């Protein structure tokens, strides 16, 4: 199988949680494939709260830069060990991805938007979704936040193999 989905736990809480054995197993399963593609995955010291990063994602989507944001944020966390719970770090990463700093800073501080994100997380949990998957396709790691058309295209590529 060329394509598989690997889950990453996402919780809507304001606390860094310990790394789980399941996450370590998932990292072990993709580390060599990532390394062969030039991506160094490191064991994170913990799993930070990600609600603010999701608020930045919303700003990125509004500006057509959601792919650039996800790539920069994932790289910063998984390769560089960045503290993506730190709002100043998120603003800097967003700036790297080409997002307007003022819009990002305002979104991160928006308590109503934060509540909406947490409600969205809770709705996903009720539907059985425990996190954002990473898709491993033909030795390439792809963030799992694909729209339906892209996911369908990816599945058709796999069926052509």
């Amino acid at each position: 199988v060329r394509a598989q989905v690997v889950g990453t736990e996402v919780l809507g809480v304001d606390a860094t949680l310990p790394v789980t054995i399941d996450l370590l197993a998932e990292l072990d399963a993709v580390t060599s494939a990532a390394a062969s593609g030039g991506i160094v995955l490191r064991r994170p010291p913990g799993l930070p709260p990600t609600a603010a990063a999701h608020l930045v994602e919303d700003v990125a989507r509004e500006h057509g830069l959601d792919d650039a944001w996800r790539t920069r944020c994932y790289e910063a966390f998984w390769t560089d060990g960045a503290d993506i719970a730190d709002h100043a770090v998120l603003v800097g990463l967003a700036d790297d991805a080409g997002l307007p700093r003022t819009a990002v800073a305002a979104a991160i501080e928006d308590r109503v938007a934060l509540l909406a994100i947490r409600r969205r997380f809770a709705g996903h949990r009720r539907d059985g979704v425990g996190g954002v998957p990473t898709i491993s396709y033909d030795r390439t790691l792809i963030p799992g936040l694909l729209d339906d058309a892209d996911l369908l295209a990816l599945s058709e590529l796999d069926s052509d193999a």
Side-chain angles (χ1 to χ4, degrees), residues 23-65:
L23 177 62
L24 294 177
E26 291 170 7
L27 276 175
D28 286 344
V30 298
T31 297
S32 62
S36 69
I39 301 169
V40 176
L41 295 178
R42 53 173 289 289
R43 176 186 171 164
L47 299 176
T50 59
H54 284 276
L55 291 171
V56 177
E57 171 77 17
D58 291 345
V59 173
R61 193 173 302 109
E62 291 171 10
H63 289 85
L65 293 169

Side-chain angles (χ1 to χ4, degrees), residues 11 39-40 59 62 70-72 95 98 102 110 118 121 135 144 154:
L11 296 175
I39 301 169
V40 176
V59 173
E62 291 171 10
R70 282 191 302 271
T71 299
R72 183 64 191 111
D95 189 49
T102 54
D110 185 340
R118 290 198 171 127
F121 286 173
I135 300 169
L154 182 61

Side-chain angles (χ1 to χ4, degrees), residues 2-158:
R2 291 172 52 190
Q4 66 185 43
V5 176
V6 179
T8 300
E9 187 70 9
V10 178
L11 296 175
V13 296
D14 282 328
T16 298
L17 301 174
V19 175
T20 64
I21 292 173
D22 290 340
L23 177 62
L24 294 177
E26 291 170 7
L27 276 175
D28 286 344
V30 298
T31 297
S32 62
S36 69
I39 301 169
V40 176
L41 295 178
R42 53 173 289 289
R43 176 186 171 164
L47 299 176
T50 59
H54 284 276
L55 291 171
V56 177
E57 171 77 17
D58 291 345
V59 173
R61 193 173 302 109
E62 291 171 10
H63 289 85
L65 293 169
D66 40 330
D67 290 337
W69 163 248
R70 282 191 302 271
T71 299
R72 183 64 191 111
C73 187
Y74 286 178
E75 175 187 48
F77 178 69
W78 290 107
T79 301
D80 304 335
D83 179 4
I84 62 170
D86 183 311
H87 291 187
V89 169
L90 288 175
V91 170
L93 295 173
D95 189 49
D96 292 348
L99 294 169
R101 293 178 73 90
T102 54
V104 169
I108 290 172
E109 298 303 325
D110 185 340
R111 305 304 285 172
V112 173
L114 179 62
L115 179 59
I117 288 283
R118 290 198 171 127
R119 285 185 176 152
R120 190 167 72 199
F121 286 173
H124 291 322
R125 286 219 174 272
R126 281 190 300 276
D127 293 337
V129 176
V132 178
T134 299
I135 300 169
S136 173
Y137 177 78
D138 199 22
R139 296 177 43 178
T140 300
L141 297 177
I142 303 167
L145 299 174
L146 298 176
D147 61 35
D148 292 343
D150 289 339
L151 192 55
L152 180 61
L154 182 61
S155 71
E156 290 171 352
L157 286 174
D158 196 48

